[in-house]
Amino acid sequence: MNNNTDLHDLGVAQLAAALRAKQVSAVEAAQHFLARAKAHQGLAAYLAIDEDVTLAQARAQDAALATGQAAPLAGLPIAHKDVFVTRDFPTTAASKMLAGYRSPFDATVVARLAQAGCVTLGKLNCDEFAMGASNEKAAIAALGLDAPQPAHNPWNPRHVPGGSSGGSAVAVAARLAPAATGTDTGGSIRQPASFCGVTGIKPTYGRASRYGMIAFASSLDQAGPMARSAEDCALLLSQICGPDPERDATSLDHPAEDFTRGLQGSIAGLRIGVPAEFFSDGLQDDVRTAVEAALKEYEKLGARLVPISLPRTALSVPVYYILAPAEASSNLSRFDGVRYGHRAENYSDLLDMYKKTRAEGFGDEVKRRIMIGTYVLSEGYYDAYYLQAQKIRRMIADDFQAAFQQCDLIAGPVAPSVAPQLGAQTDPVSSYLADIYTLPASLAGLPGMSVPAGFGGAGLPVGLQLIGNYFQEGRLLNAAHQLQLATDHHLRRPEGF
Ligand code: GLN
């Protein structure tokens, strides 16, 4: 390719093809995106890059491409949420607790994408330990900046990008990477994808290995790709999914799949369930309008809209905010100043060292979750909170199974509003409540995705959420791809990028 300025316009499928056809080299592609990452440091998308490491990986892919025996995504640049551990880049989970930490190994998701030929551009900003919905809980300074900052939404830098995978969404939306990985515990792939106008999918719980993903709430955490189109997500998800029995005991014994195969299938006759509870009073008009327009588009494509009910939708918020902190309080007990990262400098004895290390290393939101989690797991409260929440979690999953008797997939909004302004959300409970539409699928372990559906107030993007039954990622991607053949929201770009 002669004109390098066009490189960042290529999505995963196009860029992989250009690399295979040797119209561009892996080194050129990596250099182009690294230059963009540096030129747009003000967006705070990247926490770390390392040119030498990236270019060495790119050279290795160019050598493979020269033999004609290259892996399917040989030379494709990708950036990882800083929750995946990486051997060649620092890993912080955007926490002071892990400042300067280097993992001795790669997360399975990172290793699989490398195996597929991907070249790592760097590590991306997020909320600390993936706890948050705006990227404002990041506690590590982004590349080239002095103080911790959330990534900024490229559609309007005064607005949040969403979270916790905010840096991933920004990197893709601003063309600082053709694709990125994210993690989704209660919406952290879908919601930032929605706020930044990109496509993202969280697979069925257990389809992507959690090995090397810094644990937040282990029974909910899943990895997934974020890219511009459903086709690009399908290419990446095909590499990410698959059993990892040696390393993740919850990884499912379900074979890897080529998700690009079913993209072209007609969706005529597809029954799309529309849950009444996802369109209640809290939903802002601009989001409602865009989501309804996308549903109309589906009708034009021959799908049938079926009114359904997910009666315990509202309960998903208290249930999640009991269970996720409970698991987090247990998972984060490993950060004790001994094994990883930060250790307090001055302390009198071991207990004092633990206390000071954790007081200094964790940010406020992480501490809040540890305290809530410890409380709901403590004797006397365990039955009243934790156990009750577990029971309702099961009922929420059952409600989905009842709904899937009437429909093939479920559609609705991802979030009640477009991206809020930076600094606007001061009260944690109102931010928790805004997770209402993403939490149900997380609690049930179902695959879910966000597909660009148009634009709302202040010209900010709106995502359509699609939820499938277990192992129905292919159906979600097919429906998303068909919508993207009929609309161009996913092709729009923020001004200046
Ligand atoms: N916003 C939710 C939370 O703060 C979800 C985060 C996530 O999916 N990692 O917990």
Side-chain angles (χ1 to χ4, degrees):
M1 202 149 289
N2 302 325
N3 186 355
N4 264 358
T5 53
D6 291 333
L7 270 185
H8 56 270
D9 286 333
L10 305 181
V12 171
Q14 298 157 318
L15 188 51
L19 284 155
R20 263 194 313 277
K22 304 209 178 55
Q23 290 163 332
V24 59
S25 74
V27 167
E28 282 165 351
Q31 279 169 334
H32 182 76
F33 283 102
L34 287 174
R36 282 186 68 79
K38 281 200 224 145
H40 295 291
Q41 282 180 0
L43 286 176
Y46 280 85
L47 293 181
I49 61 173
D50 184 331
E51 223 164 306
D52 292 342
V53 169
T54 301
L55 293 180
Q57 291 182 7
R59 278 193 295 273
Q61 293 304 322
D62 277 331
L65 283 158
T67 66
Q69 306 245 310
L73 300 177
L76 180 85
I78 192 165
H80 295 296
K81 183 179 185 179
D82 204 17
V83 159
F84 295 93
V85 302
T86 41
R87 207 179 37 201
D88 299 329
F89 292 84
T91 301
T92 66
S95 179
K96 258 165 57 186
M97 189 57 105
L98 283 172
Y101 174 69
R102 288 237 171 205
S103 164
F105 65 94
D106 281 334
T108 296
V109 165
V110 171
R112 288 212 171 138
L113 288 167
Q115 199 77 41
C118 292
V119 170
T120 304
L121 289 170
K123 303 299 286 292
L124 297 167
N125 207 349
C126 56
D127 288 298
E128 184 176 4
F129 286 104
M131 297 175 191
S134 66
N135 208 156
E136 287 171 302
K137 311 293 179 201
I140 288 284
L143 190 70
L145 304 179
D146 304 327
Q149 282 220 30
H152 297 281
N153 194 317
W155 293 94
N156 183 336
R158 281 199 302 277
H159 289 251
V160 302
S164 61
S165 312
S168 308
V170 172
V172 174
R175 276 85 172 136
L176 312 183
T181 52
T183 66
D184 192 311
T185 303
S188 279
I189 289 176
R190 289 163 284 163
Q191 185 256 31
S194 173
F195 282 4
C196 291
V198 307
T199 307
I201 181 163
K202 166 201 108 72
T204 304
Y205 179 82
R207 270 204 106 164
S209 171
R210 287 184 300 106
Y211 181 69
M213 240 172 79
I214 295 175
F216 162 14
S218 309
S219 77
L220 295 150
D221 297 343
Q222 267 299 287
M226 299 168 80
R228 269 178 262 153
S229 68
E231 183 188 13
D232 289 356
C233 284
L235 281 162
L236 294 164
L237 192 68
S238 305
Q239 303 298 332
I240 289 173
C241 287
D244 190 18
E246 314 263 288
R247 298 194 158 106
D248 174 2
T250 59
S251 124
L252 296 169
D253 185 18
H254 197 85
E257 196 175 322
D258 179 355
F259 293 112
T260 60
R261 284 236 190 103
L263 290 174
Q264 306 303 336
S266 159
I267 55 164
L270 187 78
R271 298 168 304 162
I272 299 181
V274 183
E277 294 79 2
F278 280 38
F279 293 83
S280 55
D281 288 349
L283 183 64
Q284 306 265 303
D285 286 342
D286 53 346
V287 177
R288 185 188 299 268
T289 304
V291 167
E292 284 175 355
L295 294 176
K296 283 238 160 61
E297 198 62 49
Y298 272 122
E299 279 188 307
K300 279 200 228 153
L301 293 168
R304 193 153 58 81
L305 303 183
V306 185
I308 59 160
S309 172
L310 293 170
R312 292 176 185 86
T313 297
L315 285 177
S316 66
V317 178
V319 166
Y320 173 88
Y321 280 100
I322 288 169
L323 297 179
E327 294 186 32
S329 71
S330 163
N331 275 325
L332 270 55
S333 65
R334 75 191 68 182
F335 300 104
D336 57 2
V338 178
R339 285 171 288 183
Y340 312 92
H342 180 72
R343 178 183 300 175
E345 269 182 22
N346 303 308
Y347 48 87
S348 52
D349 56 20
L350 183 65
L351 202 61
D352 194 40
M353 189 278 281
Y354 289 156
K355 282 188 188 161
K356 287 198 172 125
T357 295
R358 289 168 67 83
E360 293 167 9
F362 289 137
D364 289 349
E365 183 61 27
V366 175
K367 285 179 186 153
R368 181 179 295 120
R369 309 257 179 141
I370 292 173
M371 286 191 282
I372 295 171
T374 307
Y375 178 83
V376 299
L377 288 175
S378 57
E379 199 184 337
Y381 297 106
Y382 182 90
D383 292 355
Y385 295 109
Y386 185 76
L387 220 54
Q388 291 296 339
Q390 289 286 30
K391 289 180 187 165
I392 299 169
R393 179 180 189 176
R394 161 57 60 186
M395 293 176 187
I396 290 169
D398 290 346
D399 288 345
F400 274 108
Q401 290 315 306
F404 284 124
Q405 300 288 318
Q406 303 168 58
C407 61
D408 305 308
L409 57 80
I410 292 170
V414 174
S417 71
V418 295
Q421 285 204 5
L422 284 159
Q425 275 176 319
T426 44
D427 144 46
V429 174
S430 64
S431 143
Y432 297 171
L433 286 168
D435 291 341
I436 183 161
Y437 305 133
T438 50
L439 298 178
S442 296
L443 289 165
L446 294 166
M449 74 183 292
S450 177
V451 192
F455 294 83
L460 290 160
V462 176
L464 174 77
Q465 182 174 206
L466 299 176
I467 300 170
N469 210 343
Y470 302 112
F471 304 116
Q472 296 291 312
E473 291 81 1
R475 181 171 270 167
L476 292 185
L477 290 160
N478 169 222
H481 181 65
Q482 293 303 312
L483 186 68
Q484 293 184 337
L485 289 176
T487 59
D488 67 354
H489 311 302
H490 64 298
L491 300 175
R492 299 270 296 277
R493 62 159 76 221
E495 219 179 293
F497 300 99

PDB file of all heavy atoms in Angstrom, residues 458-484:
ATOM      1  N   ALA A 458     -25.943  15.287  21.575  1.00  0.00           N
ATOM      2  CA  ALA A 458     -24.564  15.756  21.431  1.00  0.00           C
ATOM      3  C   ALA A 458     -23.799  14.957  20.375  1.00  0.00           C
ATOM      4  O   ALA A 458     -22.572  14.902  20.406  1.00  0.00           O
ATOM      5  CB  ALA A 458     -23.831  15.716  22.777  1.00  0.00           C
ATOM      6  N   GLY A 459     -24.538  14.316  19.457  1.00  0.00           N
ATOM      7  CA  GLY A 459     -23.883  13.558  18.385  1.00  0.00           C
ATOM      8  C   GLY A 459     -23.149  12.319  18.875  1.00  0.00           C
ATOM      9  O   GLY A 459     -22.281  11.794  18.187  1.00  0.00           O
ATOM     10  N   LEU A 460     -23.520  11.855  20.070  1.00  0.00           N
ATOM     11  CA  LEU A 460     -22.825  10.692  20.639  1.00  0.00           C
ATOM     12  C   LEU A 460     -23.492   9.384  20.217  1.00  0.00           C
ATOM     13  O   LEU A 460     -24.718   9.319  20.062  1.00  0.00           O
ATOM     14  CB  LEU A 460     -22.809  10.802  22.170  1.00  0.00           C
ATOM     15  CG  LEU A 460     -21.890  11.915  22.705  1.00  0.00           C
ATOM     16  CD1 LEU A 460     -22.262  12.314  24.117  1.00  0.00           C
ATOM     17  CD2 LEU A 460     -20.430  11.456  22.627  1.00  0.00           C
ATOM     18  N   PRO A 461     -22.682   8.341  20.022  1.00  0.00           N
ATOM     19  CA  PRO A 461     -23.210   7.071  19.507  1.00  0.00           C
ATOM     20  C   PRO A 461     -24.161   6.352  20.478  1.00  0.00           C
ATOM     21  O   PRO A 461     -24.084   6.532  21.691  1.00  0.00           O
ATOM     22  CB  PRO A 461     -21.949   6.214  19.315  1.00  0.00           C
ATOM     23  CG  PRO A 461     -20.793   7.142  19.375  1.00  0.00           C
ATOM     24  CD  PRO A 461     -21.217   8.307  20.193  1.00  0.00           C
ATOM     25  N   VAL A 462     -25.010   5.538  19.884  1.00  0.00           N
ATOM     26  CA  VAL A 462     -25.934   4.681  20.637  1.00  0.00           C
ATOM     27  C   VAL A 462     -25.734   3.246  20.146  1.00  0.00           C
ATOM     28  O   VAL A 462     -25.696   3.011  18.936  1.00  0.00           O
ATOM     29  CB  VAL A 462     -27.406   5.076  20.375  1.00  0.00           C
ATOM     30  CG1 VAL A 462     -28.362   4.113  21.074  1.00  0.00           C
ATOM     31  CG2 VAL A 462     -27.680   6.503  20.824  1.00  0.00           C
ATOM     32  N   GLY A 463     -25.618   2.325  21.065  1.00  0.00           N
ATOM     33  CA  GLY A 463     -25.476   0.921  20.680  1.00  0.00           C
ATOM     34  C   GLY A 463     -26.775   0.149  20.874  1.00  0.00           C
ATOM     35  O   GLY A 463     -27.579   0.463  21.754  1.00  0.00           O
ATOM     36  N   LEU A 464     -26.972  -0.849  20.020  1.00  0.00           N
ATOM     37  CA  LEU A 464     -28.076  -1.792  20.189  1.00  0.00           C
ATOM     38  C   LEU A 464     -27.484  -3.034  20.851  1.00  0.00           C
ATOM     39  O   LEU A 464     -26.463  -3.557  20.396  1.00  0.00           O
ATOM     40  CB  LEU A 464     -28.638  -2.180  18.822  1.00  0.00           C
ATOM     41  CG  LEU A 464     -29.713  -3.290  18.846  1.00  0.00           C
ATOM     42  CD1 LEU A 464     -31.052  -2.729  19.308  1.00  0.00           C
ATOM     43  CD2 LEU A 464     -29.859  -3.938  17.470  1.00  0.00           C
ATOM     44  N   GLN A 465     -28.135  -3.499  21.917  1.00  0.00           N
ATOM     45  CA  GLN A 465     -27.636  -4.721  22.544  1.00  0.00           C
ATOM     46  C   GLN A 465     -28.362  -5.936  21.969  1.00  0.00           C
ATOM     47  O   GLN A 465     -29.588  -5.928  21.819  1.00  0.00           O
ATOM     48  CB  GLN A 465     -27.861  -4.683  24.061  1.00  0.00           C
ATOM     49  CG  GLN A 465     -27.298  -5.934  24.742  1.00  0.00           C
ATOM     50  CD  GLN A 465     -27.347  -5.903  26.267  1.00  0.00           C
ATOM     51  OE1 GLN A 465     -26.566  -6.556  26.914  1.00  0.00           O
ATOM     52  NE2 GLN A 465     -28.280  -5.156  26.833  1.00  0.00           N
ATOM     53  N   LEU A 466     -27.603  -6.947  21.620  1.00  0.00           N
ATOM     54  CA  LEU A 466     -28.184  -8.226  21.209  1.00  0.00           C
ATOM     55  C   LEU A 466     -27.738  -9.273  22.221  1.00  0.00           C
ATOM     56  O   LEU A 466     -26.559  -9.339  22.574  1.00  0.00           O
ATOM     57  CB  LEU A 466     -27.676  -8.619  19.814  1.00  0.00           C
ATOM     58  CG  LEU A 466     -28.018  -7.665  18.661  1.00  0.00           C
ATOM     59  CD1 LEU A 466     -27.371  -8.144  17.356  1.00  0.00           C
ATOM     60  CD2 LEU A 466     -29.540  -7.548  18.481  1.00  0.00           C
ATOM     61  N   ILE A 467     -28.679 -10.073  22.698  1.00  0.00           N
ATOM     62  CA  ILE A 467     -28.370 -11.125  23.675  1.00  0.00           C
ATOM     63  C   ILE A 467     -28.829 -12.455  23.077  1.00  0.00           C
ATOM     64  O   ILE A 467     -29.955 -12.550  22.565  1.00  0.00           O
ATOM     65  CB  ILE A 467     -29.107 -10.881  25.013  1.00  0.00           C
ATOM     66  CG1 ILE A 467     -28.697  -9.529  25.623  1.00  0.00           C
ATOM     67  CG2 ILE A 467     -28.842 -12.023  26.005  1.00  0.00           C
ATOM     68  CD1 ILE A 467     -29.550  -9.093  26.806  1.00  0.00           C
ATOM     69  N   GLY A 468     -27.976 -13.460  23.134  1.00  0.00           N
ATOM     70  CA  GLY A 468     -28.337 -14.765  22.576  1.00  0.00           C
ATOM     71  C   GLY A 468     -28.395 -15.824  23.662  1.00  0.00           C
ATOM     72  O   GLY A 468     -27.952 -15.596  24.798  1.00  0.00           O
ATOM     73  N   ASN A 469     -28.906 -16.967  23.314  1.00  0.00           N
ATOM     74  CA  ASN A 469     -28.860 -18.078  24.260  1.00  0.00           C
ATOM     75  C   ASN A 469     -27.427 -18.628  24.288  1.00  0.00           C
ATOM     76  O   ASN A 469     -26.585 -18.240  23.476  1.00  0.00           O
ATOM     77  CB  ASN A 469     -29.874 -19.161  23.862  1.00  0.00           C
ATOM     78  CG  ASN A 469     -30.389 -19.905  25.106  1.00  0.00           C
ATOM     79  OD1 ASN A 469     -29.769 -19.839  26.182  1.00  0.00           O
ATOM     80  ND2 ASN A 469     -31.495 -20.600  24.962  1.00  0.00           N
ATOM     81  N   TYR A 470     -27.147 -19.552  25.196  1.00  0.00           N
ATOM     82  CA  TYR A 470     -25.798 -20.082  25.331  1.00  0.00           C
ATOM     83  C   TYR A 470     -25.277 -20.599  23.988  1.00  0.00           C
ATOM     84  O   TYR A 470     -26.005 -21.264  23.248  1.00  0.00           O
ATOM     85  CB  TYR A 470     -25.777 -21.213  26.373  1.00  0.00           C
ATOM     86  CG  TYR A 470     -26.266 -20.733  27.722  1.00  0.00           C
ATOM     87  CD1 TYR A 470     -27.470 -21.184  28.260  1.00  0.00           C
ATOM     88  CD2 TYR A 470     -25.540 -19.789  28.450  1.00  0.00           C
ATOM     89  CE1 TYR A 470     -27.933 -20.714  29.486  1.00  0.00           C
ATOM     90  CE2 TYR A 470     -25.993 -19.312  29.664  1.00  0.00           C
ATOM     91  CZ  TYR A 470     -27.187 -19.776  30.178  1.00  0.00           C
ATOM     92  OH  TYR A 470     -27.650 -19.290  31.376  1.00  0.00           O
ATOM     93  N   PHE A 471     -24.044 -20.266  23.675  1.00  0.00           N
ATOM     94  CA  PHE A 471     -23.340 -20.713  22.454  1.00  0.00           C
ATOM     95  C   PHE A 471     -23.940 -20.155  21.162  1.00  0.00           C
ATOM     96  O   PHE A 471     -23.672 -20.672  20.094  1.00  0.00           O
ATOM     97  CB  PHE A 471     -23.283 -22.247  22.379  1.00  0.00           C
ATOM     98  CG  PHE A 471     -22.646 -22.860  23.594  1.00  0.00           C
ATOM     99  CD1 PHE A 471     -23.374 -23.681  24.441  1.00  0.00           C
ATOM    100  CD2 PHE A 471     -21.318 -22.587  23.896  1.00  0.00           C
ATOM    101  CE1 PHE A 471     -22.787 -24.222  25.579  1.00  0.00           C
ATOM    102  CE2 PHE A 471     -20.729 -23.123  25.033  1.00  0.00           C
ATOM    103  CZ  PHE A 471     -21.461 -23.951  25.876  1.00  0.00           C
ATOM    104  N   GLN A 472     -24.742 -19.095  21.288  1.00  0.00           N
ATOM    105  CA  GLN A 472     -25.355 -18.519  20.081  1.00  0.00           C
ATOM    106  C   GLN A 472     -24.590 -17.295  19.585  1.00  0.00           C
ATOM    107  O   GLN A 472     -25.170 -16.407  18.960  1.00  0.00           O
ATOM    108  CB  GLN A 472     -26.821 -18.160  20.360  1.00  0.00           C
ATOM    109  CG  GLN A 472     -27.698 -19.363  20.675  1.00  0.00           C
ATOM    110  CD  GLN A 472     -27.895 -20.232  19.451  1.00  0.00           C
ATOM    111  OE1 GLN A 472     -28.203 -19.748  18.378  1.00  0.00           O
ATOM    112  NE2 GLN A 472     -27.671 -21.536  19.603  1.00  0.00           N
ATOM    113  N   GLU A 473     -23.305 -17.235  19.849  1.00  0.00           N
ATOM    114  CA  GLU A 473     -22.497 -16.100  19.371  1.00  0.00           C
ATOM    115  C   GLU A 473     -22.640 -15.942  17.855  1.00  0.00           C
ATOM    116  O   GLU A 473     -22.702 -14.826  17.332  1.00  0.00           O
ATOM    117  CB  GLU A 473     -21.010 -16.300  19.694  1.00  0.00           C
ATOM    118  CG  GLU A 473     -20.644 -16.216  21.153  1.00  0.00           C
ATOM    119  CD  GLU A 473     -20.907 -17.505  21.924  1.00  0.00           C
ATOM    120  OE1 GLU A 473     -21.359 -18.499  21.317  1.00  0.00           O
ATOM    121  OE2 GLU A 473     -20.671 -17.526  23.134  1.00  0.00           O
ATOM    122  N   GLY A 474     -22.656 -17.066  17.161  1.00  0.00           N
ATOM    123  CA  GLY A 474     -22.752 -17.025  15.699  1.00  0.00           C
ATOM    124  C   GLY A 474     -24.032 -16.334  15.245  1.00  0.00           C
ATOM    125  O   GLY A 474     -24.029 -15.539  14.295  1.00  0.00           O
ATOM    126  N   ARG A 475     -25.109 -16.618  15.939  1.00  0.00           N
ATOM    127  CA  ARG A 475     -26.394 -15.997  15.585  1.00  0.00           C
ATOM    128  C   ARG A 475     -26.360 -14.487  15.847  1.00  0.00           C
ATOM    129  O   ARG A 475     -26.880 -13.691  15.058  1.00  0.00           O
ATOM    130  CB  ARG A 475     -27.504 -16.662  16.411  1.00  0.00           C
ATOM    131  CG  ARG A 475     -28.868 -16.126  16.122  1.00  0.00           C
ATOM    132  CD  ARG A 475     -29.930 -16.963  16.787  1.00  0.00           C
ATOM    133  NE  ARG A 475     -30.369 -18.047  15.911  1.00  0.00           N
ATOM    134  CZ  ARG A 475     -31.112 -19.080  16.332  1.00  0.00           C
ATOM    135  NH1 ARG A 475     -31.468 -19.156  17.600  1.00  0.00           N
ATOM    136  NH2 ARG A 475     -31.494 -20.004  15.493  1.00  0.00           N
ATOM    137  N   LEU A 476     -25.729 -14.100  16.960  1.00  0.00           N
ATOM    138  CA  LEU A 476     -25.614 -12.661  17.261  1.00  0.00           C
ATOM    139  C   LEU A 476     -24.800 -11.952  16.180  1.00  0.00           C
ATOM    140  O   LEU A 476     -25.186 -10.895  15.690  1.00  0.00           O
ATOM    141  CB  LEU A 476     -24.886 -12.448  18.598  1.00  0.00           C
ATOM    142  CG  LEU A 476     -25.584 -12.890  19.875  1.00  0.00           C
ATOM    143  CD1 LEU A 476     -24.742 -12.475  21.086  1.00  0.00           C
ATOM    144  CD2 LEU A 476     -26.957 -12.266  19.969  1.00  0.00           C
ATOM    145  N   LEU A 477     -23.681 -12.564  15.824  1.00  0.00           N
ATOM    146  CA  LEU A 477     -22.799 -11.928  14.839  1.00  0.00           C
ATOM    147  C   LEU A 477     -23.460 -11.869  13.472  1.00  0.00           C
ATOM    148  O   LEU A 477     -23.310 -10.896  12.737  1.00  0.00           O
ATOM    149  CB  LEU A 477     -21.463 -12.690  14.782  1.00  0.00           C
ATOM    150  CG  LEU A 477     -20.593 -12.505  16.043  1.00  0.00           C
ATOM    151  CD1 LEU A 477     -19.547 -13.610  16.169  1.00  0.00           C
ATOM    152  CD2 LEU A 477     -19.909 -11.127  16.029  1.00  0.00           C
ATOM    153  N   ASN A 478     -24.217 -12.898  13.138  1.00  0.00           N
ATOM    154  CA  ASN A 478     -24.970 -12.916  11.883  1.00  0.00           C
ATOM    155  C   ASN A 478     -25.980 -11.757  11.857  1.00  0.00           C
ATOM    156  O   ASN A 478     -26.041 -10.980  10.893  1.00  0.00           O
ATOM    157  CB  ASN A 478     -25.670 -14.271  11.736  1.00  0.00           C
ATOM    158  CG  ASN A 478     -26.697 -14.321  10.619  1.00  0.00           C
ATOM    159  OD1 ASN A 478     -27.774 -14.870  10.789  1.00  0.00           O
ATOM    160  ND2 ASN A 478     -26.388 -13.746   9.464  1.00  0.00           N
ATOM    161  N   ALA A 479     -26.746 -11.628  12.949  1.00  0.00           N
ATOM    162  CA  ALA A 479     -27.761 -10.562  13.004  1.00  0.00           C
ATOM    163  C   ALA A 479     -27.083  -9.193  12.954  1.00  0.00           C
ATOM    164  O   ALA A 479     -27.552  -8.269  12.274  1.00  0.00           O
ATOM    165  CB  ALA A 479     -28.603 -10.699  14.258  1.00  0.00           C
ATOM    166  N   ALA A 480     -25.949  -9.059  13.665  1.00  0.00           N
ATOM    167  CA  ALA A 480     -25.246  -7.766  13.676  1.00  0.00           C
ATOM    168  C   ALA A 480     -24.690  -7.456  12.291  1.00  0.00           C
ATOM    169  O   ALA A 480     -24.789  -6.323  11.807  1.00  0.00           O
ATOM    170  CB  ALA A 480     -24.110  -7.806  14.700  1.00  0.00           C
ATOM    171  N   HIS A 481     -24.133  -8.465  11.633  1.00  0.00           N
ATOM    172  CA  HIS A 481     -23.559  -8.253  10.300  1.00  0.00           C
ATOM    173  C   HIS A 481     -24.652  -7.838   9.310  1.00  0.00           C
ATOM    174  O   HIS A 481     -24.451  -6.931   8.495  1.00  0.00           O
ATOM    175  CB  HIS A 481     -22.864  -9.531   9.832  1.00  0.00           C
ATOM    176  CG  HIS A 481     -22.213  -9.419   8.490  1.00  0.00           C
ATOM    177  ND1 HIS A 481     -21.143  -8.578   8.250  1.00  0.00           N
ATOM    178  CD2 HIS A 481     -22.486 -10.020   7.300  1.00  0.00           C
ATOM    179  CE1 HIS A 481     -20.792  -8.678   6.973  1.00  0.00           C
ATOM    180  NE2 HIS A 481     -21.584  -9.540   6.376  1.00  0.00           N
ATOM    181  N   GLN A 482     -25.792  -8.491   9.388  1.00  0.00           N
ATOM    182  CA  GLN A 482     -26.885  -8.143   8.466  1.00  0.00           C
ATOM    183  C   GLN A 482     -27.333  -6.703   8.689  1.00  0.00           C
ATOM    184  O   GLN A 482     -27.611  -5.976   7.730  1.00  0.00           O
ATOM    185  CB  GLN A 482     -28.057  -9.120   8.626  1.00  0.00           C
ATOM    186  CG  GLN A 482     -27.729 -10.547   8.177  1.00  0.00           C
ATOM    187  CD  GLN A 482     -27.246 -10.617   6.724  1.00  0.00           C
ATOM    188  OE1 GLN A 482     -27.853 -10.043   5.830  1.00  0.00           O
ATOM    189  NE2 GLN A 482     -26.130 -11.299   6.498  1.00  0.00           N
ATOM    190  N   LEU A 483     -27.378  -6.270   9.944  1.00  0.00           N
ATOM    191  CA  LEU A 483     -27.736  -4.871  10.229  1.00  0.00           C
ATOM    192  C   LEU A 483     -26.669  -3.942   9.644  1.00  0.00           C
ATOM    193  O   LEU A 483     -26.990  -2.885   9.092  1.00  0.00           O
ATOM    194  CB  LEU A 483     -27.855  -4.651  11.744  1.00  0.00           C
ATOM    195  CG  LEU A 483     -28.354  -3.271  12.171  1.00  0.00           C
ATOM    196  CD1 LEU A 483     -29.819  -3.070  11.784  1.00  0.00           C
ATOM    197  CD2 LEU A 483     -28.180  -3.060  13.675  1.00  0.00           C
ATOM    198  N   GLN A 484     -25.411  -4.354   9.727  1.00  0.00           N
ATOM    199  CA  GLN A 484     -24.329  -3.501   9.235  1.00  0.00           C
ATOM    200  C   GLN A 484     -24.257  -3.476   7.713  1.00  0.00           C
ATOM    201  O   GLN A 484     -23.713  -2.540   7.134  1.00  0.00           O
ATOM    202  CB  GLN A 484     -22.996  -3.941   9.871  1.00  0.00           C
ATOM    203  CG  GLN A 484     -23.027  -3.639  11.374  1.00  0.00           C
ATOM    204  CD  GLN A 484     -21.740  -3.935  12.112  1.00  0.00           C
ATOM    205  OE1 GLN A 484     -20.928  -4.743  11.676  1.00  0.00           O
ATOM    206  NE2 GLN A 484     -21.571  -3.289  13.261  1.00  0.00           N
TER     207      GLN A 484
END
